[in-house]
Amino acid sequence: MFWRIVLSVAVATVAALLAGWLTGVLVRSVARRRYRRTLTKLHQNCHKPFVAVLVVAANYIVLFEFDNRLIAGIRHALLLALLVVAAWLVVKVLFVIEDFVLQRLKVDVPDNRRVRRLRTQVALMRRLTTAAITVIAIASMFMTFSELRTLGASLLASAGILGVIAGLAAQTTLTNVFAGMQLALTDSLRYDDVVVVEGEWGRIEEMTLTFVVVQLWDERRLVLPTTYFTKTPFQNWTRHETRVIGAVQLHLDYRAPVEALRVEAQRIVEASELWDRREWVLQVVDSTPWTMVVRVLASAADAASAWDLRCEVREKLIVFMRDNHPEYLPGGADDSYRGGRAA
């Protein structure tokens, strides 16, 4: 009896391993002809869990021929293992599919708002599906025990799942999960969006169901819980389109030649490759007791270009004023006139 069981298990294991090896050979053969990248990635990521499913399932089926208490316990353990490796395989397959979708959603295009929205939703759905499969696998394992069958059934039942979620919603982690789902479904925040949070300018580098990573302009990373973006006001510069208008402000003496400055600003903006040829303007937008505030607005294709354009315009206008009208700059050569007052 013992040697028969050992022989049956050995034959089943070898047969499963052989079947797994043959499927790998078949996939590699097909991958040389069509869908090479997809099938290769599928084989690399899913081969191990697939072979594990074959081995466990083969041994589980073989042990049905034997009937005693020890074998029943081993068969139950194999059933639990089968649920685990099956969930592992499903998660890996979904990851490959989602990676394939993400590879087709390129963000390095002029108008990538729709692509960034889809990438955000796919990334968040990946984590959501993983959590759902994990819950289903755990509930199925519970149902294999007669003492825990009720608990497993309640987890699988929609009312039970909603009850568990509602009961845990007050917890910080699950609150962040709901906030992450809200961000993805409402399209209020997307991957690669340009935002201003906590007084810092940056891009959305990573979004999960519980936290968001913002890559700041100086390469620092600001990690915020997803609830921050549902409870705190923040600026999203690329909410509706990638085009951004950059602003440059200069504080100049009241006697500064605005028209000459406007002509120079036009020359600088129109000569810049960063300007998207849509709009620009120079205006006096405010005044202080000592200076007037001159603002230049210029549009760019995206936030990164707008930032560089602002720096370029600011630098060249300061150089123009320094070389041609230094007396009208704060702290300039002529300090006898402040805000229109004679010394």
Side-chain angles (χ1 to χ4, degrees):
M1 181 71 173
F2 174 76
W3 292 110
R4 184 183 171 192
I5 294 174
V6 172
L7 181 62
S8 299
V9 169
V11 171
T13 302
V14 171
L17 292 174
L18 181 61
W21 177 76
L22 289 175
T23 55
V25 172
L26 179 62
V27 169
R28 287 192 295 269
S29 176
V30 175
R32 293 193 184 100
R33 302 174 186 176
R34 298 182 62 185
Y35 312 111
R36 178 177 182 180
R37 181 178 299 177
T38 304
L39 290 177
T40 300
K41 193 172 185 63
L42 184 68
H43 173 69
Q44 291 174 346
N45 287 271
C46 303
H47 184 66
K48 289 182 179 179
F50 176 69
V51 172
V53 168
L54 290 179
V55 171
V56 176
N59 284 282
Y60 177 73
I61 295 172
V62 163
L63 290 181
F64 269 106
E65 299 180 4
F66 309 96
D67 188 15
N68 61 59
R69 191 169 183 178
L70 177 60
I71 296 300
I74 296 175
R75 195 164 57 238
H76 189 204
L78 287 173
L79 177 59
L80 296 177
L82 181 60
L83 292 172
V84 172
V85 294
W88 181 24
L89 177 61
V90 173
V91 168
K92 283 292 188 178
V93 171
L94 289 176
F95 272 26
V96 171
I97 295 174
E98 290 160 355
D99 286 339
F100 177 72
V101 174
L102 290 174
Q103 288 175 1
R104 296 178 66 88
L105 298 175
K106 303 295 185 182
V107 296
D108 53 348
V109 294
D111 188 6
N112 58 5
R113 188 173 67 89
R114 176 176 173 273
V115 173
R116 289 186 290 109
R117 174 172 59 85
L118 292 175
R119 285 183 66 95
T120 301
Q121 293 176 345
V122 169
L124 293 177
M125 288 304 296
R126 164 185 286 192
R127 292 170 173 83
L128 189 60
T129 52
T130 302
I133 292 169
T134 303
V135 170
I136 293 173
I138 293 174
S140 301
M141 293 172 68
F142 284 161
M143 292 184 68
T144 63
F145 298 91
S146 57
E147 298 84 357
L148 301 176
R149 190 164 297 165
T150 303
L151 176 60
S154 65
L155 282 175
L156 286 176
S158 58
I161 294 176
L162 290 177
V164 172
I165 293 177
L168 296 175
Q171 303 299 320
T172 302
T173 300
L174 209 44
T175 302
N176 286 327
V177 170
F178 282 124
M181 294 172 60
Q182 179 181 342
L183 292 177
L185 296 176
T186 59
D187 194 28
S188 58
L189 192 67
R190 297 174 297 267
Y191 168 78
D192 207 42
D193 263 345
V194 176
V195 296
V196 177
V197 290
E198 297 292 311
E200 301 278 5
W201 180 94
R203 289 178 176 273
I204 301 299
E205 181 182 50
E206 182 182 355
M207 291 184 64
T208 70
L209 289 174
T210 56
F211 65 89
V212 177
V213 179
V214 182
Q215 180 183 0
L216 302 181
W217 63 274
D218 57 358
E219 298 299 325
R220 289 178 295 141
R221 301 300 192 272
L222 183 63
V223 182
L224 298 168
T226 51
T227 51
Y228 175 91
F229 295 92
T230 58
K231 296 180 180 179
T232 308
F234 65 95
Q235 297 182 39
N236 188 337
W237 290 9
T238 53
R239 174 69 175 82
H240 295 293
E241 58 181 348
T242 57
R243 187 171 68 97
V244 176
I245 295 180
V248 173
Q249 289 190 344
L250 298 177
H251 290 259
L252 303 175
D253 192 283
Y254 280 104
R255 297 174 299 170
V258 176
E259 286 303 322
L261 191 63
R262 181 174 286 113
V263 172
E264 179 64 15
Q266 180 178 5
R267 186 192 68 79
I268 294 171
V269 171
E270 292 180 349
S272 176
E273 296 181 355
L274 300 170
W275 184 48
D276 64 0
R277 306 295 186 257
R278 294 195 182 186
E279 56 186 274
W280 82 273
V281 66
L282 183 147
Q283 297 171 314
V284 178
V285 296
D286 200 359
S287 61
T288 71
W290 311 110
T291 61
M292 62 179 176
V293 181
V294 178
R295 184 177 68 183
V296 181
L297 298 179
S299 58
D302 52 50
S305 299
W307 174 267
D308 292 338
L309 180 60
R310 289 170 60 194
C311 295
E312 179 182 351
V313 171
R314 183 185 297 109
E315 177 184 338
K316 291 184 176 180
L317 284 179
I318 291 176
V319 170
F320 171 77
M321 292 299 297
R322 183 198 65 196
D323 294 345
N324 296 276
H325 307 284
E327 66 275 15
Y328 302 136
L329 289 172
D334 183 6
D335 289 331
S336 63
Y337 187 88
R338 292 293 186 182
R341 300 183 305 166

